[in-house]
């Protein structure tokens, strides 16, 4: 089971053991990670689950598809090279140790 590290707005880190096959967003919601709002429930239509993937982890993930890329252009916090929608990041054992930072604002 992969572990994901969420860096919260206050700079603290919460490490959560997740189920393989769950998304970074689902894991955050089920573990009360503040700042990942996920208003659309994970169907890639609202961008309120925006996170910043740690630089060291970006290459471990597939590139965003066209829909995710378009939604990332409208996120509330600044888009950065590691910006991703956490609903689109499906956890596998190969992603053990993935680190994401919660942006300052989502909506």
């Amino acid at each position: 089971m992969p572990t994901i590290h969420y860096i919260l707005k206050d700079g603290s880190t919460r490490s959560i053991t997740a189920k393989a096959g769950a998304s970074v967003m689902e894991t955050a919601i089920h573990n009360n990670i503040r700042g990942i709002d996920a208003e659309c429930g994970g169907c890639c239509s609202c961008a309120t689950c925006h996170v910043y993937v740690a630089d060291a982890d970006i290459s471990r993930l597939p590139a965003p598809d066209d829909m995710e890329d378009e939604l990332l252009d409208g996120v509330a916090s600044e888009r950065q090279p590691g910006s991703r929608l956490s609903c689109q990041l499906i956890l596998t054992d190969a992603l053990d140790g993935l680190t994401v930072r919660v942006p300052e604002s989502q909506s």
Side-chain angles (χ1 to χ4, degrees):
M1 294 195 338
T3 297
I4 181 166
H5 308 288
Y6 296 89
I7 302 173
L8 307 178
K9 294 177 188 181
D10 66 4
S12 65
T13 300
R14 285 204 42 212
S15 297
I16 306 291
T17 301
K19 290 186 227 174
S23 71
V24 170
M25 181 223 60
E26 291 169 321
T27 303
I29 297 300
H30 292 301
N31 290 280
N32 200 29
I33 300 293
R34 302 261 183 221
I36 297 180
D37 299 334
E39 291 177 6
C40 73
C43 63
C44 196
S45 66
C46 73
T48 61
C49 66
H50 175 220
V51 295
Y52 299 116
V53 174
D55 291 344
D57 292 326
I58 293 172
S59 64
R60 296 171 63 192
L61 299 168
D65 65 16
D66 291 341
M67 179 177 251
E68 180 183 359
D69 190 54
E70 185 176 323
L71 283 168
L72 285 167
D73 285 337
V75 293
S77 291
E78 176 186 4
R79 182 176 183 172
Q80 298 177 2
S83 286
R84 292 299 301 267
L85 298 183
S86 60
C87 67
Q88 299 302 295
L89 303 178
I90 306 304
L91 295 166
T92 65
D93 289 334
L95 291 176
D96 185 42
L98 179 72
T99 299
V100 299
R101 182 170 47 89
V102 177
E104 288 297 315
S105 64
Q106 289 289 3
S107 52

